[in-house]
Amino acid sequence: MSVSSNNQPSDPRTPPASADVVVVGAGFSGMYLLHRLRAMNLSAIVFEAGTDVGGTWYWNRYPGARVDVESLAYSYSFSEELEQEYEWEERYPTQPEILRYAQHVADRFDLRRDIYFRTRVTAAVYDENHATWTIRTDHGDAVTARFFVMATGCLSASKLPEIPGLSRFQGATYHTAHWPHEGVDFTGMRVGIIGTGSSGVQSIPVIAEQAADLTVFQRTPAYSLPARNRRLRPEEIAEMKANYRAFRQAQRESGFGLPTPIPTQSALEVSEEERNAVYEKAWEVGSLVAILTSYTDLTTSQEANDTAKAFVHRKIREIVKDPQTAEDLCPDYPLGTKRPCLDTNYYETYNRDNVHLVNLRRTPIVKITERGIRCSDREYEFDAIVYATGFDAMTGALTNVDIRGRDGLSIKEAWRAGPRTYLGIASAGFPNLFMITGPGSPSVLSNMIVSIEQHVDWVLDAIGHLDRNGLKAIEPTVEAQDAWVDHVNEIASYTLYPKANSWYMGANVPGKPRVFMPYAGGVGEYRKKCDEVAARGYEGFVLS
Ligand code: FAD
Ligand code: NAP
């Protein structure tokens, strides 16, 4: 596996023995945390496994990697100067453009001096007598802190598939989330790619243009919508900059962290003709949510969803010339219940002579061999294999660290039957530990920068409240946590989300409990709830 990005010496500096706050992760969450902690005059240390800031956008350098939320919306709102002065180039920028933005923010706010790069946090133990955490790193350092914040990302613990023989392959292997910094030249190569989630869908068209031959191994087809990416026009940038405050407020109050028109009609109330005209228009918009927000009931009613599903199936059949390939690409689960993808020429790519689709439902992979991939019917030979096989999402990065709370309680044990949090921010038994966009918060069902800023602001307001009141510890009660977990499950049960075997449900990791992890009640409703909790003196938490 190529992980060239991290084959570098460790950070030469030794971190101080103590700090007010230790943050893990220097993606958009950790960066904003550090900026705000400094403004509160709290000492802060950030540990980051990578060699630079950016998190997701540092690691996921696969060809075709792009954001699927528009740049003018997928950006920080905390600094008006940053908002006004930063120049985005594309509607849906590539990974290098977003990484440049993260690096610009790090430079602008001088963040790197408190970030210890190439340093992985391995363990953290709570000391109840002193109300402090001791955080340990893979370099043997230990830092004691009053507060410990896991800003480790929902999608940062990458995952290889459980296929026998992974290490036997003699050619080159890559995971989309650990792409070599120097890039990969597939020219003239026979390439196999496993996985057709967003990472696969984005990389397949680009790899296909380079490789001599590309074989796609698909277990579950994705719903992919055209991005209609383009360069931003100066007048639309100017318009957004003139209206940013109102736009940001609308983002915060919206369902997905993206202001969208609120539908008023059921998909079943209108004629098929009218519905298809609406879907057609939404298909042209180039947006993740345009179709799903066309009617009130597409995420809650199977019958309504079936109409959108049929529309996308028709599109796939129109684009893909080979009828069997087109059928194999049509998903059988409700639209939106697995994260939809936003693509550039994904379905069109299957019309190329050098691209082949293998439907693993018909011919499953048996093993990886020295020469390639053996399916139940035959062996495919490759020069390179790409794993676009995703992440141990939402909980993986949290449980990868040996976190021990009160009385040595391990987070892995506490969450054995599924993650248990209050508001997705904190967990009973783990005082003074905060999670940014943890399970039980809108997180991955939103424009994540909106959710990140809201969580960071809420957590730091809570720390400010403790400090102003001479308090040392904050921890959710088991009752408040149980009620929140029930609420998250109840909201999910009104939706179609649990109908798909998605990473939202933990279904992509063998043995992981089947629990719908994000909060599906919407960003605006969630924010209101968090604000109410704070306004009522941190209701549901014990402050001591
Ligand atoms: P991350 O960016 O994941 O950063 C977490 C950091 O923590 C990483 O750098 C990691 O190295 C570090 N870390 C983890 N564990 C440890 C440890 N133990 N020790 C030290 N360091 C550690 N969201 C959207 O809203 N819109 C999009 O279009 C979008 N596109 C995406 C595309 C891809 C390919 C992926 C994978 C995710 C995408 N997301 C998108 C979600 C994306 O993760 C968030 O938008 C956002 O970047 C998360 O920021 P973060 O700082 O919370 O986490
Ligand atoms: P993913 O959505 O989990 O997709 C992983 C793919 O690998 C799935 O098709 C999965 O099939 C397949 N797979 C896993 N194990 C397999 C096995 N043993 N055999 C065969 N196939 C196997 O991961 P991802 O594509 O990296 O995306 C994860 C999330 O990151 C996205 O949902 C999105 O939130 C974010 N992301 C966003 C963008 C963007 O456009 N901005 C780009 C990339 C990622 P099954 O479905 O059958 O399990």
Side-chain angles (χ1 to χ4, degrees):
M1 179 71 44
S2 180
V3 283
S4 65
S5 52
N6 228 12
N7 293 341
Q8 298 198 25
S10 59
D11 198 311
R13 298 168 299 165
T14 304
S18 66
D20 289 317
V21 184
V22 164
V23 172
V24 190
F28 285 125
S29 299
M31 292 167 70
Y32 179 44
L33 271 161
L34 178 56
H35 175 67
R36 273 220 51 198
L37 283 163
R38 282 189 188 155
M40 289 168 72
N41 286 322
L42 292 171
S43 58
I45 292 176
V46 180
F47 288 118
E48 167 54 55
T51 62
D52 200 2
V53 296
T56 287
W57 306 103
Y58 167 89
W59 293 106
N60 292 264
R61 297 171 187 245
Y62 58 83
R66 281 179 193 277
V67 78
D68 59 12
V69 172
E70 295 186 47
S71 53
L72 291 168
Y74 185 78
S75 47
Y76 284 126
S77 72
F78 70 83
S79 160
E80 282 191 45
E81 292 76 22
L82 172 65
E83 254 173 5
Q84 292 298 325
E85 289 167 23
Y86 198 79
E87 296 291 340
W88 287 103
E89 291 169 21
E90 287 189 77
R91 183 182 183 203
Y92 292 113
T94 56
Q95 169 272 330
E97 191 181 346
I98 304 163
L99 182 59
R100 267 201 304 283
Y101 173 73
Q103 290 169 336
H104 169 88
V105 172
D107 291 340
R108 189 177 185 111
F109 299 105
D110 187 21
L111 297 179
R112 288 191 186 84
R113 69 184 150 87
D114 291 318
I115 305 176
Y116 291 77
F117 291 107
R118 298 173 220 121
T119 306
R120 187 165 283 281
V121 167
T122 52
V125 180
Y126 185 65
D127 173 349
E128 200 169 355
N129 292 329
H130 299 97
T132 55
W133 282 91
T134 298
I135 292 105
R136 295 187 183 280
T137 75
D138 58 352
H139 304 320
D141 294 316
V143 180
T144 298
R146 297 194 291 134
F147 300 100
F148 173 38
V149 189
M150 290 292 278
T152 43
C154 297
L155 295 159
S156 65
S158 64
K159 208 190 139 292
L160 282 167
E162 293 70 22
I163 302 174
L166 278 192
S167 58
R168 299 183 65 179
F169 181 60
Q170 296 300 303
T173 59
Y174 305 97
H175 191 291
T176 46
H178 292 278
W179 207 259
H181 286 199
E182 59 279 15
V184 180
D185 183 1
F186 288 112
T187 306
M189 287 194 191
R190 296 162 305 166
V191 181
I193 181 165
I194 301 178
T196 51
S198 302
S199 304
V201 162
Q202 288 188 331
S203 54
I204 285 163
V206 186
I207 296 175
E209 282 177 11
Q210 240 184 29
D213 202 80
L214 176 65
T215 305
V216 179
F217 293 86
Q218 172 193 275
R219 190 165 64 185
T220 310
Y223 282 98
S224 196
L225 312 166
R228 316 252 178 246
N229 184 42
R230 53 173 171 74
R231 290 191 72 76
L232 288 169
R233 291 183 283 267
E235 56 279 14
E236 68 189 313
I237 297 176
E239 193 187 334
M240 180 62 99
K241 287 188 175 179
N243 293 299
Y244 245 141
R245 297 280 52 78
F247 179 79
R248 297 303 194 186
Q249 191 53 32
Q251 282 188 305
R252 293 180 192 121
E253 291 168 6
S254 68
F256 295 111
L258 294 166
T260 41
I262 297 171
T264 52
Q265 269 184 312
S266 156
L268 306 173
E269 273 175 53
V270 297
S271 70
E272 190 180 344
E273 201 182 12
E274 183 181 334
R275 214 167 36 219
N276 282 335
V278 167
Y279 291 150
E280 192 67 50
K281 222 167 142 190
W283 178 264
E284 288 307 315
V285 167
S287 146
L288 263 192
V289 294
I291 291 186
L292 277 173
T293 55
S294 298
Y295 295 105
T296 52
D297 47 359
L298 294 178
T299 56
T300 52
S301 150
Q302 176 84 56
E303 205 186 340
N305 192 286
D306 281 346
T307 65
K309 175 176 161 182
F311 172 82
V312 179
H313 283 192
R314 188 155 53 75
K315 284 287 174 196
I316 296 171
R317 291 181 188 120
E318 273 169 24
I319 300 169
V320 179
K321 291 189 184 126
D322 176 58
Q324 184 61 57
T325 306
E327 286 319 300
D328 288 344
L329 286 167
C330 288
D332 57 4
Y333 52 91
L335 172 68
T337 51
K338 286 176 92 128
R339 169 117 175 167
C341 309
L342 212 58
D343 75 86
T344 302
N345 293 332
Y346 177 62
Y347 295 120
E348 290 81 352
T349 295
Y350 290 95
N351 294 332
R352 293 177 67 108
D353 291 339
N354 69 333
V355 176
H356 324 279
L357 181 69
V358 175
N359 183 341
L360 298 178
R361 296 212 175 143
R362 275 202 299 278
T363 55
I365 297 177
V366 177
K367 62 179 176 182
I368 307 291
T369 66
E370 284 80 3
R371 289 185 302 243
I373 298 176
R374 167 157 280 290
C375 288
S376 57
D377 61 337
R378 58 165 282 203
E379 184 177 5
Y380 296 83
E381 293 188 10
F382 298 116
D383 302 305
I385 296 179
V386 175
Y387 294 101
T389 46
F391 302 87
D392 181 354
M394 306 211 62
T395 54
L398 295 165
T399 56
N400 280 347
V401 177
D402 185 10
I403 297 176
R404 305 272 167 169
R406 260 187 307 105
D407 306 321
L409 176 68
S410 132
I411 203 155
K412 256 191 216 117
E413 275 305 314
W415 290 9
R416 188 166 284 283
R420 300 199 72 79
T421 73
Y422 181 38
L423 302 173
I425 292 179
S427 188
F430 303 90
N432 294 2
L433 163 64
F434 298 106
M435 292 159 262
I436 304 301
T437 67
S441 73
S443 58
V444 293
L445 295 183
S446 69
N447 169 358
M448 285 203 65
I449 299 197
V450 176
S451 292
I452 286 169
E453 287 191 332
Q454 185 256 337
H455 260 195
V456 170
D457 289 341
W458 193 96
V459 166
L460 297 192
D461 287 353
I463 291 178
H465 176 85
L466 293 183
D467 283 356
R468 277 193 308 280
N469 292 285
L471 297 162
K472 287 198 160 159
I474 178 167
E475 178 187 355
T477 65
V478 172
E479 294 72 33
Q481 176 168 286
D482 287 350
W484 184 253
V485 172
D486 288 348
H487 177 59
V488 171
N489 288 332
E490 189 191 355
I491 297 224
S493 74
Y494 300 143
T495 72
L496 299 172
Y497 284 118
K499 288 193 183 276
N501 288 325
S502 65
W503 58 256
Y504 296 146
M505 296 287 294
N508 65 329
V509 179
K512 195 166 170 171
R514 289 288 180 103
V515 178
F516 186 75
M517 292 182 283
Y519 174 71
V523 162
E525 278 306 305
Y526 172 80
R527 174 185 295 269
K528 262 194 235 156
K529 173 71 189 166
C530 289
D531 289 349
E532 274 166 28
V533 165
R536 293 187 189 141
Y538 294 90
E539 184 179 53
F541 287 92
V542 175
L543 275 50
S544 53

